[in-house]
PDB file of all heavy atoms in Angstrom:
ATOM      1  N   GLN A 202      -6.884 -17.228  18.250  1.00 98.00           N
ATOM      2  CA  GLN A 202      -7.332 -15.892  17.845  1.00 98.00           C
ATOM      3  C   GLN A 202      -7.329 -15.706  16.333  1.00 98.00           C
ATOM      4  O   GLN A 202      -8.206 -15.039  15.792  1.00 98.00           O
ATOM      5  CB  GLN A 202      -6.435 -14.822  18.483  1.00 98.00           C
ATOM      6  CG  GLN A 202      -6.586 -14.728  19.990  1.00 98.00           C
ATOM      7  CD  GLN A 202      -5.637 -13.703  20.581  1.00 98.00           C
ATOM      8  OE1 GLN A 202      -5.902 -12.508  20.539  1.00 98.00           O
ATOM      9  NE2 GLN A 202      -4.529 -14.178  21.105  1.00 98.00           N
ATOM     10  N   ALA A 203      -6.327 -16.282  15.665  1.00 98.00           N
ATOM     11  CA  ALA A 203      -6.157 -15.987  14.234  1.00 98.00           C
ATOM     12  C   ALA A 203      -6.655 -17.097  13.314  1.00 98.00           C
ATOM     13  O   ALA A 203      -6.800 -16.867  12.115  1.00 98.00           O
ATOM     14  CB  ALA A 203      -4.677 -15.728  13.957  1.00 98.00           C
ATOM     15  N   GLY A 204      -6.900 -18.295  13.848  1.00 98.00           N
ATOM     16  CA  GLY A 204      -7.365 -19.397  13.006  1.00 98.00           C
ATOM     17  C   GLY A 204      -6.214 -20.120  12.336  1.00 98.00           C
ATOM     18  O   GLY A 204      -6.093 -21.335  12.424  1.00 98.00           O
ATOM     19  N   SER A 205      -5.380 -19.370  11.630  1.00 98.00           N
ATOM     20  CA  SER A 205      -4.153 -19.929  11.035  1.00 98.00           C
ATOM     21  C   SER A 205      -3.154 -18.792  10.922  1.00 98.00           C
ATOM     22  O   SER A 205      -3.431 -17.666  11.354  1.00 98.00           O
ATOM     23  CB  SER A 205      -4.456 -20.561   9.675  1.00 98.00           C
ATOM     24  OG  SER A 205      -4.863 -19.565   8.760  1.00 98.00           O
ATOM     25  N   GLY A 206      -1.994 -19.073  10.337  1.00 98.00           N
ATOM     26  CA  GLY A 206      -0.936 -18.066  10.287  1.00 98.00           C
ATOM     27  C   GLY A 206      -0.887 -17.344   8.943  1.00 98.00           C
ATOM     28  O   GLY A 206      -1.864 -16.720   8.526  1.00 98.00           O
ATOM     29  N   SER A 207       0.242 -17.487   8.249  1.00 98.00           N
ATOM     30  CA  SER A 207       0.376 -16.846   6.931  1.00 98.00           C
ATOM     31  C   SER A 207      -0.743 -17.292   6.002  1.00 98.00           C
ATOM     32  O   SER A 207      -1.234 -16.514   5.180  1.00 98.00           O
ATOM     33  CB  SER A 207       1.713 -17.240   6.289  1.00 98.00           C
ATOM     34  OG  SER A 207       2.764 -16.606   6.955  1.00 98.00           O
ATOM     35  N   LEU A 208      -1.146 -18.549   6.158  1.00 98.00           N
ATOM     36  CA  LEU A 208      -2.175 -19.094   5.267  1.00 98.00           C
ATOM     37  C   LEU A 208      -3.436 -18.227   5.265  1.00 98.00           C
ATOM     38  O   LEU A 208      -3.875 -17.754   4.223  1.00 98.00           O
ATOM     39  CB  LEU A 208      -2.508 -20.533   5.693  1.00 98.00           C
ATOM     40  CG  LEU A 208      -3.660 -21.178   4.932  1.00 98.00           C
ATOM     41  CD1 LEU A 208      -3.311 -21.336   3.459  1.00 98.00           C
ATOM     42  CD2 LEU A 208      -4.042 -22.525   5.539  1.00 98.00           C
ATOM     43  N   GLY A 209      -4.032 -18.025   6.447  1.00 98.00           N
ATOM     44  CA  GLY A 209      -5.287 -17.266   6.494  1.00 98.00           C
ATOM     45  C   GLY A 209      -5.069 -15.775   6.383  1.00 98.00           C
ATOM     46  O   GLY A 209      -5.873 -15.054   5.801  1.00 98.00           O
ATOM     47  N   ASP A 210      -3.971 -15.299   6.971  1.00 98.00           N
ATOM     48  CA  ASP A 210      -3.730 -13.862   7.010  1.00 98.00           C
ATOM     49  C   ASP A 210      -3.508 -13.300   5.609  1.00 98.00           C
ATOM     50  O   ASP A 210      -4.175 -12.339   5.201  1.00 98.00           O
ATOM     51  CB  ASP A 210      -2.505 -13.594   7.909  1.00 98.00           C
ATOM     52  CG  ASP A 210      -2.256 -12.107   8.106  1.00 98.00           C
ATOM     53  OD1 ASP A 210      -3.178 -11.311   7.897  1.00 98.00           O
ATOM     54  OD2 ASP A 210      -1.119 -11.736   8.480  1.00 98.00           O
ATOM     55  N   ILE A 211      -2.570 -13.893   4.870  1.00 98.00           N
ATOM     56  CA  ILE A 211      -2.254 -13.338   3.552  1.00 98.00           C
ATOM     57  C   ILE A 211      -2.556 -14.318   2.422  1.00 98.00           C
ATOM     58  O   ILE A 211      -2.937 -13.896   1.338  1.00 98.00           O
ATOM     59  CB  ILE A 211      -0.782 -12.833   3.499  1.00 98.00           C
ATOM     60  CG1 ILE A 211       0.195 -13.886   4.033  1.00 98.00           C
ATOM     61  CG2 ILE A 211      -0.650 -11.532   4.291  1.00 98.00           C
ATOM     62  CD1 ILE A 211       1.657 -13.422   4.027  1.00 98.00           C
ATOM     63  N   GLY A 212      -2.458 -15.631   2.703  1.00 98.00           N
ATOM     64  CA  GLY A 212      -2.812 -16.615   1.666  1.00 98.00           C
ATOM     65  C   GLY A 212      -4.267 -16.469   1.240  1.00 98.00           C
ATOM     66  O   GLY A 212      -4.607 -16.687   0.083  1.00 98.00           O
ATOM     67  N   SER A 213      -5.128 -16.075   2.185  1.00 98.00           N
ATOM     68  CA  SER A 213      -6.556 -15.944   1.840  1.00 98.00           C
ATOM     69  C   SER A 213      -6.766 -14.872   0.767  1.00 98.00           C
ATOM     70  O   SER A 213      -7.674 -14.988  -0.060  1.00 98.00           O
ATOM     71  CB  SER A 213      -7.391 -15.623   3.081  1.00 98.00           C
ATOM     72  OG  SER A 213      -7.073 -14.352   3.589  1.00 98.00           O
TER      73      SER A 213
END
Side-chain angles (χ1 to χ4, degrees):
Q202 292 178 80
S205 65
S207 288
L208 175 64
D210 185 20
I211 49 181
S213 66

